[in-house]
Amino acid sequence: MKRFDLIDGMRGYFLVFMLINHLVFAGGFWLVEINHRQFAFVEDAQGFVFLSGLLIGMVYARKMMKYGYEAGRDMIWNRALELYKYAMGLVIAVLFARMVIPHAPYIWYNWLGMTSFDDPLRLAAIATFLFQPTFMDILPQYIVYMIFAPFLVKLCLDGKWAYVMAGSLLVWMAGQLGLQQLFTAPMNEIVKGVDEQGIRVSFNLFGWQLVFYTALVLGAMTAQNRIPWTKIFSPERSWIAKAALIVCVFFVPLRIATAWNLMPEFMLGKFSTMEIRADFGPVYLINFLAVGVGLTWLIIAGPKHHNPLVQKIAAGVIWVLSLKFLQLLGRHSLQVYVWHVAIVYGIYYLDGRTAELTQIQKTAIAVVGIAMLAIPALWRERDKWIGNSQKTAGA
């Protein structure tokens, strides 16, 4: 199947900034403070989840149309099983490192608690995704979403996409109202360990499923050629981009105020209830919709717009997403994501075992970490590189 190069570039971009945002150094790190998440209520995880849902819809809708529902369902569930193996393998690897590396239990305590191989209750909580160590929380939500994905893709193929969206919106609203606590509150007491940690997750599945399933619907409809993307996002409809830009500009000062603790106390109480990241609250929803629509228009219609400035901006965005390094990472996003967690844990351990580093040293470490992201991708494509070298040598 032909690769979706720009989508791969986006996933690679999100992986790079995910690594940067997950690096934790004593005394802080300047790159974390100046990247895009400090100026908008849009983060890498949202884009990563959205693109994953989009590809699930596009790829497996086509497979269902070609091979039938049961075959497509089994392919999705097999993919979910593969993700589960990666998720559990990552936890096992980190717990083994915690056991054998000096001072690792102390340095990683905030991320792992007292989790160890001799705690069956905690291991059971991890296996059922009730306890998710820090930065190991994206794969579990994918797996849960993919359990329901075959049925939802089938509904889209049957022309019932509106029912999928209506259901997803209702579940999102349930998440904003905290209805998931009817389950999580008692379960938290059941799985609570000696470190007083019970359920530990970074994402409210009720809230974040809206990102994944909206993308799934768009992907499934695209696979059926039911969305005229170039007609909707045409150069003549520049009002779409302008409306998206207005929304983004409106929220910029609010994001800066919350990022730098500048918002007045009398506003903070009300505003904070609307921008809960874990729940994918209304502020995040509106911002993500605006950025997503604006970026889509810019990529599709921007190069053909009559304004030279718009053309240049579109060309710049497309150039970034066309970088071979980013597309390489995006083609192997699962393996790179897992590897990024290992890099983050390793750098955090290094920082905990040394005197406070300078910003120059931290930046150098970050650059090396970004370069290291390519290792699993290069390994998985080694036959292409080695094959080309051998062919060249033979010639």
Side-chain angles (χ1 to χ4, degrees), residues 6 22 110 123 136 154 160 192 201 204 269 306 349 379:
L6 286 183
H22 288 171
N110 288 338
L123 294 178
M136 301 186 197
K154 181 64 164 56
K160 299 178 180 178
K192 185 177 291 185
V201 297
N204 177 351
H306 63 84
Y349 177 81
W379 173 255

Side-chain angles (χ1 to χ4, degrees), residues 53-239:
L54 183 69
L55 287 174
I56 290 294
M58 292 175 68
V59 172
Y60 292 101
R62 288 172 179 165
K63 291 187 181 297
M64 283 188 186
M65 288 189 290
K66 185 175 182 179
Y67 302 111
Y69 170 72
E70 289 78 11
R73 176 200 62 200
D74 293 343
M75 290 176 187
I76 295 177
W77 285 351
N78 287 336
R79 179 62 170 171
L81 180 60
E82 180 186 8
L83 294 181
Y84 186 81
K85 292 176 181 177
Y86 271 100
M88 294 300 103
L90 179 59
V91 173
I92 291 171
V94 170
L95 290 184
F96 179 76
R98 176 189 182 276
M99 183 175 64
V100 300
I101 299 177
H103 304 289
Y106 171 75
I107 295 174
W108 290 339
Y109 180 79
N110 288 338
W111 292 3
L112 296 174
M114 296 181 66
T115 306
S116 64
F117 287 120
D118 57 3
D119 186 348
L121 179 62
R122 176 59 53 79
L123 294 178
I126 289 175
T128 54
F129 302 144
L130 296 176
F131 186 96
Q132 299 168 14
T134 300
F135 304 136
M136 301 186 197
D137 40 27
I138 286 186
L139 292 185
Q141 65 168 317
Y142 284 174
I143 295 166
V144 174
Y145 299 156
M146 290 177 73
I147 292 174
F148 302 98
F151 175 64
L152 300 182
V153 171
K154 181 64 164 56
L155 285 177
C156 292
L157 293 178
D158 292 341
K160 299 178 180 178
W161 63 269
Y163 294 97
V164 177
M165 287 306 307
S168 183
L169 281 168
L170 286 177
V171 173
W172 175 82
M173 181 55 69
Q176 306 312 303
L177 298 174
L179 299 186
Q180 75 282 353
Q181 295 179 27
L182 295 172
F183 166 78
T184 59
M187 187 58 64
N188 181 70
E189 298 302 317
I190 295 174
V191 300
K192 185 177 291 185
V194 294
D195 54 10
E196 292 299 311
Q197 295 190 55
I199 290 181
R200 174 175 173 158
V201 297
S202 298
F203 301 100
N204 177 351
L205 296 183
F206 279 25
W208 279 73
Q209 55 77 31
L210 181 62
V211 182
F212 188 92
Y213 289 136
T214 298
L216 181 146
V217 169
L218 293 175
M221 295 180 69
T222 299
Q224 303 172 77
N225 296 317
R226 295 177 63 184
I227 302 180
W229 291 104
T230 55
K231 183 178 180 180
I232 295 173
F233 296 96
S234 66
E236 293 74 28
R237 295 186 175 183
S238 59
W239 63 267

Side-chain angles (χ1 to χ4, degrees), residues 5 7 15 26 52 85 106 115 130 152 161 165 172 192 274 278 300 319 323 372-373 394:
D5 291 336
I7 293 179
L15 283 165
S52 296
K85 292 176 181 177
Y106 171 75
T115 306
L130 296 176
L152 300 182
W161 63 269
M165 287 306 307
W172 175 82
K192 185 177 291 185
M274 304 289 287
I300 295 176
W319 178 81
L323 291 173
M372 290 177 62
L373 284 175

Side-chain angles (χ1 to χ4, degrees), residues 117-394:
F117 287 120
D118 57 3
D119 186 348
L121 179 62
R122 176 59 53 79
L123 294 178
I126 289 175
T128 54
F129 302 144
L130 296 176
F131 186 96
Q132 299 168 14
T134 300
F135 304 136
M136 301 186 197
D137 40 27
I138 286 186
L139 292 185
Q141 65 168 317
Y142 284 174
I143 295 166
V144 174
Y145 299 156
M146 290 177 73
I147 292 174
F148 302 98
F151 175 64
L152 300 182
V153 171
K154 181 64 164 56
L155 285 177
C156 292
L157 293 178
D158 292 341
K160 299 178 180 178
W161 63 269
Y163 294 97
V164 177
M165 287 306 307
S168 183
L169 281 168
L170 286 177
V171 173
W172 175 82
M173 181 55 69
Q176 306 312 303
L177 298 174
L179 299 186
Q180 75 282 353
Q181 295 179 27
L182 295 172
F183 166 78
T184 59
M187 187 58 64
N188 181 70
E189 298 302 317
I190 295 174
V191 300
K192 185 177 291 185
V194 294
D195 54 10
E196 292 299 311
Q197 295 190 55
I199 290 181
R200 174 175 173 158
V201 297
S202 298
F203 301 100
N204 177 351
L205 296 183
F206 279 25
W208 279 73
Q209 55 77 31
L210 181 62
V211 182
F212 188 92
Y213 289 136
T214 298
L216 181 146
V217 169
L218 293 175
M221 295 180 69
T222 299
Q224 303 172 77
N225 296 317
R226 295 177 63 184
I227 302 180
W229 291 104
T230 55
K231 183 178 180 180
I232 295 173
F233 296 96
S234 66
E236 293 74 28
R237 295 186 175 183
S238 59
W239 63 267
I240 294 177
K242 293 175 182 176
L245 182 60
I246 289 171
V247 173
C248 293
V249 170
F250 172 80
F251 279 100
V252 166
L254 296 173
R255 181 59 186 131
I256 293 175
T258 56
W260 298 94
N261 296 317
L262 301 175
M263 183 169 285
E265 192 69 28
F266 62 86
M267 289 179 57
L268 189 59
K270 176 66 174 178
F271 188 81
S272 62
T273 62
M274 304 289 287
E275 60 101 28
I276 300 174
R277 175 184 182 273
D279 294 339
F280 195 66
V283 169
Y284 280 95
L285 173 59
I286 294 170
N287 275 260
F288 184 73
L289 179 62
V291 172
V293 168
L295 185 62
T296 302
W297 184 91
L298 193 62
I299 291 174
I300 295 176
K304 302 176 183 177
H305 195 263
H306 63 84
N307 191 319
L309 178 60
V310 174
Q311 294 178 16
K312 290 179 180 179
I313 295 174
V317 171
I318 293 173
W319 178 81
V320 170
L321 300 180
S322 299
L323 291 173
K324 298 301 182 184
F325 178 75
L326 297 183
Q327 292 185 358
L328 172 67
L329 300 183
R331 286 197 296 272
H332 309 280
S333 58
L334 170 59
Q335 292 76 19
V336 173
Y337 169 79
V338 171
W339 178 235
H340 118 276
V341 175
I343 293 174
V344 168
Y345 270 75
I347 291 176
Y348 189 44
Y349 177 81
L350 174 65
D351 184 69
R353 293 283 283 166
T354 60
E356 184 171 330
L357 302 170
T358 66
Q359 290 296 335
I360 294 177
Q361 291 171 322
K362 295 173 185 177
T363 303
I365 291 172
V367 171
V368 172
I370 292 170
M372 290 177 62
L373 284 175
I375 291 176
L378 290 172
W379 173 255
R380 287 173 60 81
E381 294 192 7
R382 63 190 182 279
D383 290 342
K384 182 167 73 172
W385 311 114
I386 295 174
N388 287 341
S389 300
Q390 291 177 341
K391 188 177 295 184
T392 302

